[in-house]
Amino acid sequence: KNKQFSLLLFPFFILSLAGLYSCRFDNEEDMYAYMMCDTNQVSYNIKVQPILEAACYSCHSESVAQVSGAGINLEGYQALTEFLNTSQDIFIKAITHEGNASKMPKGGLKLENCQIYTILAWINQGKQNN
């Protein structure tokens, strides 16, 4: 009798576990941002550079990086890709606010999810100078 009862509860247990793992996003913005964000063939010049200019260059441009940006210059395609070639993991953790990297922009709000997805897509698409 206990075995029959256990067999009846097993599907509910499985569904409960599936429900826990299916809730990957914390809020509606996270859940829909990726689907609503166009990350096909991301252009550095049109999409990535404007995000960095607005959110990063105040500390990480060529002119101020040594003073306010810990020497990290992200201004321009060459500087950005050189940094990513050696510190891509730190950069990703910083903009996603995950891991032990400093959360960027420092003292500011986290980038919008679509901005993060755009930068990550550009990186995953080969960091093209386009």
Side-chain angles (χ1 to χ4, degrees):
K1 197 170 196 169
N2 283 338
K3 188 175 183 180
Q4 286 177 329
F5 182 71
S6 296
L7 288 174
L8 287 173
L9 288 179
F10 186 72
F12 294 107
F13 175 73
I14 297 298
L15 288 173
S16 297
L17 283 177
L20 288 174
Y21 288 105
S22 67
C23 296
R24 179 174 159 229
F25 298 103
D26 293 339
N27 58 50
E28 190 172 334
E29 178 190 354
D30 289 341
M31 187 166 57
Y32 295 111
Y34 184 76
M35 291 185 291
M36 296 171 57
C37 186
D38 182 11
T39 57
N40 293 316
Q41 300 178 356
V42 176
S43 165
Y44 169 78
N45 292 312
I46 295 171
K47 298 271 189 155
V48 175
Q49 190 272 334
I51 295 169
L52 298 176
E53 184 176 3
C56 308
Y57 287 5
S58 61
C59 296
H60 296 288
S61 66
E62 186 175 356
S63 61
V64 298
Q66 293 302 323
V67 177
S68 61
I72 299 169
N73 175 18
L74 303 176
E75 184 176 3
Y77 175 80
Q78 184 173 342
L80 175 61
T81 53
E82 285 175 6
F83 181 73
L84 291 175
N85 287 339
T86 60
S87 305
Q88 181 171 302
D89 188 52
I90 292 169
F91 177 83
I92 291 171
K93 287 177 181 177
I95 66 168
T96 59
H97 291 194
E98 295 177 359
N100 57 357
S102 294
K103 293 171 175 44
M104 295 292 156
K106 192 145 196 116
L109 297 174
K110 180 179 170 186
L111 296 175
E112 294 176 12
N113 289 328
C114 187
Q115 292 173 315
I116 294 169
Y117 297 143
T118 298
I119 293 169
L120 295 177
W122 174 76
I123 290 170
N124 290 330
Q125 292 167 10
K127 300 180 271 196
Q128 297 178 30
N129 187 6
N130 53 3

